[in-house]
Amino acid sequence: MSRELIDDYTRLLTVDTRACADLFARDAEFRTRMGSQELRFHGRHDILCFLYHVPRQISFRTVAARPEGVGYSAEILVLPDGLPPRTQLVRYEVDGGRFTRFHLRPANGSELPRAASRG
């Protein structure tokens, strides 16, 4: 279930923002960094408002997901139009088929994961 949920997130992020936000619980927490700023959003509505700002020219793809402690971790390949690909790491928790906590951060050095760099 957790792999399908993160796959849905990466598929819907730039295609159907409202459906993407619906993957989050009503009281979910979403954290990310922009430059030196740590951003925190609480609740599906605030998450939806943030997700509307994701540029539509970027593609996302889940390349790995695995259980980690009480939650999961995943690697997301970010494919910006006209720029080199990079990797984001996400740590998330799920309850009732929805994200309850979601922490997105860049990979160290934004290197490509091994799974994505093959052929």
Side-chain angles (χ1 to χ4, degrees):
M1 171 55 140
S2 72
R3 176 60 191 240
E4 293 87 10
L5 194 58
I6 195 71
D7 284 341
D8 286 345
Y9 169 83
T10 57
R11 179 178 53 83
L12 293 170
L13 188 55
T14 57
V15 176
D16 187 340
T17 307
R18 183 164 297 282
C20 187
D22 285 342
L23 299 174
F24 292 85
R26 289 192 187 283
D27 60 348
E29 176 187 87
F30 185 107
R31 295 184 327 173
T32 190
R33 291 192 77 77
M34 290 194 127
S36 63
Q37 291 287 94
E38 170 122 4
L39 304 177
R40 292 176 185 244
F41 303 95
H42 295 279
R44 188 183 301 150
H45 176 74
D46 286 350
I47 294 167
L48 173 65
C49 291
F50 173 73
L51 295 180
Y52 271 127
H53 296 286
V54 175
R56 301 298 175 231
Q57 308 89 312
I58 300 175
S59 298
F60 298 88
R61 184 178 55 178
T62 306
V63 293
R66 62 198 154 281
E68 186 177 292
V70 298
Y72 304 89
S73 62
E75 296 174 21
I76 297 173
L77 183 62
V78 182
L79 301 159
D81 190 28
L83 296 173
R86 62 185 173 87
T87 302
Q88 286 186 318
L89 304 176
V90 63
R91 174 96 172 85
Y92 59 98
E93 295 178 19
V94 176
D95 186 32
R98 295 185 192 272
F99 295 115
T100 56
R101 293 184 188 275
F102 198 89
H103 182 196
L104 193 58
R105 63 193 191 280
N108 290 339
S110 296
E111 68 277 357
L112 288 175
R114 284 186 298 266
S117 61
R118 282 188 236 143

